[in-house]
Amino acid sequence: MEQQLAELTAQVAALQASAGVTNTNFAETYYYLTIPLMIIIHAGFLAYEMGASRAKNVLSSGVKNILAFAFMIPTFYFFGWWVYWGFPTGLTLSEGPMGISGWDYANSIALGWGESTAYMGPNITDQASGVFFGAFAMFAATTASIMSGAVIERIQTVGFIILAIVLGSFAWVVAAAWGWHADGWLVTQWGVHDFGAAGLVHAVAGFFALGVLMHLGPRIGKFNADGTANHIAGHNMPLTVVGLMLIIVGFWGFLMACVIVPGEAFSWFADKQATIYGTPITLSSLAFNILMAIAGGIIGSWIWTKDPFWMMSGALAGIISTASGLDIYYPALAFIIAVSAGMILKPAATWLESRGIDDAVGAVTVHGTIGLYGVIMLGVFGWGFPALAIENAPVITLYGQIVGAVVFFLVGFVPGYVCAYILKKLGMLRVPAAAEEAGLDTVKVPAQGYPEGIVPSGPASS
């Protein structure tokens, strides 16, 4: 009898160990797969921005995107990842209530050298750090790509790379530490909730771009002497629209990476998925809400413009406008919010243009304005829901979400404005007028996108 009990105990222990390995391997694979899905976002931005450029600038726009991605990875490794874990409680670098933040904690797990490399390289006892880092690095690269589209056809390559590093490996990471971390002061003190990063990724990047554009200035020929704007069409609208659709595909990986799987040391729960705040979430509810948001954004933009560029931008706006509360909204509400975002998209972009801002792809509006709209809408429709899964949890409120929106605006706009000002004074922001007139591919890229030229289409036959 004792032998049988011992054998049964051993079998139970083996099953438990096997289940633990299976769960850990699943968790590692889950986040690993979000990384290539999010790289599709960058394939989309690449196509989107090249299509939105004139033929003389198409490869220059592409090179800028490729370099932003490449520079983001090492800079996020060497200091961006550290910022996320070091800054949640503010500028004091003190430890937060959950004990997973502050100077000492960040030094122990997020430095790319010394003892913390146990978490930053080959280590068979750690199957989480690398895939988490990879997912966050893709968030960082996304912010740089958002800014990239706004400034096409006239920015210096090196100046752009410097701006991309400041945005992707510092500015948005500070916003994430404050509002997308269990120790973040915006969360613990104000109940800020931004599940899908509408504010702390999209709005930060959008308003960083606005700060840059205010110093960069419009493309030559964009505005007339009386201040009226001319439309500067990209050379390939189909490529732009397909690029926007690829960004939508990549969004599934982006939002999938915002879910914390159960049963691991880093998990909130042993038996159910959670948001980064520990509040309930399921992939099933995400599927309902994301699909409804995409459709709503397209329909809202179609009602207003009938323009395929703005319709596909509306799909992005639909997701961004609902992203903060995708874990809370029911599908019908997500659809309504997305339709409204699609409807305000083009008027908001037109208003910005009337202020003399040349945002080549509408990035400030799609990501900045709609990002803040989404953060605030959650304050309206999610008021009273727990913002964080702790005892005596702060709750979501409209005033808390407005505070978060203001902080996200400032964390984006101020660094963008200041850095662009410095680069402008150093002569590193904008290309010379002669180079812009000739086309950046001619003077900046040792290749031509269309070496045989593009034959203009003839007039439509009656």
Side-chain angles (χ1 to χ4, degrees):
M1 185 67 175
E2 290 181 359
Q3 183 177 356
Q4 290 175 325
L5 286 173
E7 290 175 354
L8 184 59
T9 300
Q11 290 173 352
V12 169
L15 287 171
Q16 288 175 331
S18 176
V21 170
T22 300
N23 191 85
T24 296
N25 286 339
F26 164 76
E28 183 178 27
T29 303
Y30 177 92
Y31 293 110
Y32 188 84
L33 291 176
T34 66
I35 298 169
L37 280 172
M38 282 193 278
I39 290 175
I40 293 174
I41 292 176
H42 301 285
F45 273 115
L46 189 66
Y48 165 46
E49 293 176 27
M50 288 195 296
S53 300
R54 287 166 288 184
K56 65 182 181 179
N57 297 315
V58 61
L59 288 184
S60 175
S61 293
V63 165
K64 180 166 56 62
N65 244 290
I66 294 166
L67 288 174
F69 183 90
F71 275 91
M72 204 50 53
I73 306 306
T75 57
F76 192 77
Y77 175 84
F78 284 114
F79 61 89
W81 192 223
W82 188 95
V83 169
Y84 178 73
W85 297 105
F87 278 82
T89 56
L91 302 180
T92 63
L93 300 177
S94 57
E95 183 177 276
M98 301 287 286
I100 51 172
S101 59
W103 174 272
D104 291 336
Y105 188 81
N107 285 344
S108 70
I109 70 162
L111 286 177
W113 56 86
E115 293 182 3
S116 69
T117 53
Y119 297 94
M120 302 285 277
N123 179 0
I124 61 171
T125 65
D126 177 9
Q127 293 178 262
S129 296
V131 286
F132 273 138
F133 164 82
F136 269 77
M138 291 302 99
F139 294 140
T142 297
T143 63
S145 291
I146 289 168
M147 186 261 293
S148 174
V151 300
I152 57 173
E153 301 197 303
R154 74 271 204 202
I155 197 167
Q156 291 267 21
T157 301
V158 174
F160 167 77
I161 291 170
I162 292 170
L163 290 166
I165 291 170
V166 172
L167 170 59
S169 289
F170 184 73
W172 93 270
V173 196
V174 171
W178 291 352
W180 212 31
H181 189 295
D183 279 343
W185 68 268
L186 282 175
V187 182
T188 58
Q189 296 178 33
W190 290 95
V192 170
H193 192 88
D194 190 13
F195 162 72
L200 57 93
V201 166
H202 295 282
V204 169
F207 288 111
F208 187 100
L210 176 61
V212 173
L213 289 171
M214 292 176 71
H215 291 296
L216 181 65
R219 290 167 289 178
I220 294 172
K222 175 63 180 176
F223 294 106
N224 300 312
D226 62 359
T228 56
N230 299 308
H231 176 60
I232 300 179
H235 83 288
N236 192 329
M237 179 61 75
L239 184 63
T240 293
V241 173
V242 170
L244 283 164
M245 181 59 85
L246 287 174
I247 295 171
I248 296 298
V249 174
F251 251 109
W252 292 87
F254 185 106
L255 294 167
M256 176 181 171
C258 298
V259 174
I260 306 299
V261 300
E264 295 300 303
F266 58 80
S267 303
W268 282 92
F269 304 107
D271 58 348
K272 54 182 177 287
Q273 297 169 124
T275 69
I276 208 160
Y277 307 103
T279 54
I281 184 69
T282 66
L283 295 179
S284 178
S285 64
L286 278 184
F288 276 118
N289 285 336
I290 296 171
L291 288 170
M292 291 292 273
I294 293 169
I298 292 172
I299 292 169
S301 294
W302 173 76
I303 290 170
W304 195 266
T305 71
K306 308 298 188 292
D307 184 323
F309 170 79
W310 286 107
M311 288 165 61
M312 285 309 304
S313 295
L316 283 180
I319 295 179
I320 294 166
S321 66
T322 58
S324 293
L326 284 171
D327 56 322
I328 291 172
Y329 296 146
Y330 278 82
L333 178 57
F335 179 77
I336 292 168
I337 294 171
V339 170
S340 68
M343 292 183 71
I344 67 176
L345 187 60
K346 182 60 168 65
T350 301
W351 180 87
L352 185 67
E353 186 176 75
S354 72
R355 308 269 83 76
I357 301 296
D358 179 16
D359 178 357
V361 298
V364 175
T365 302
V366 174
H367 300 276
T369 304
I370 299 300
L372 293 191
Y373 178 72
V375 171
I376 293 169
M377 284 299 99
L378 179 58
V380 174
F381 295 110
W383 196 322
F385 280 83
L388 186 65
I390 60 173
E391 190 175 350
N392 299 317
V395 298
I396 298 168
T397 62
L398 177 57
Y399 57 82
Q401 293 298 104
I402 291 173
V403 168
V406 170
V407 170
F408 297 147
F409 170 83
L410 292 174
V411 170
F413 178 77
V414 173
Y417 187 90
V418 171
C419 290
Y421 173 80
I422 294 170
L423 290 171
K424 183 178 181 179
K425 291 298 182 182
L426 294 174
M428 297 175 64
L429 185 62
R430 183 160 181 153
V431 299
E436 185 179 346
E437 295 268 20
L440 300 188
D441 285 7
T442 302
V443 297
K444 295 288 186 180
V445 183
Q448 297 295 308
Y450 302 97
E452 297 177 0
I454 299 177
V455 179
S457 300
S461 58
S462 56

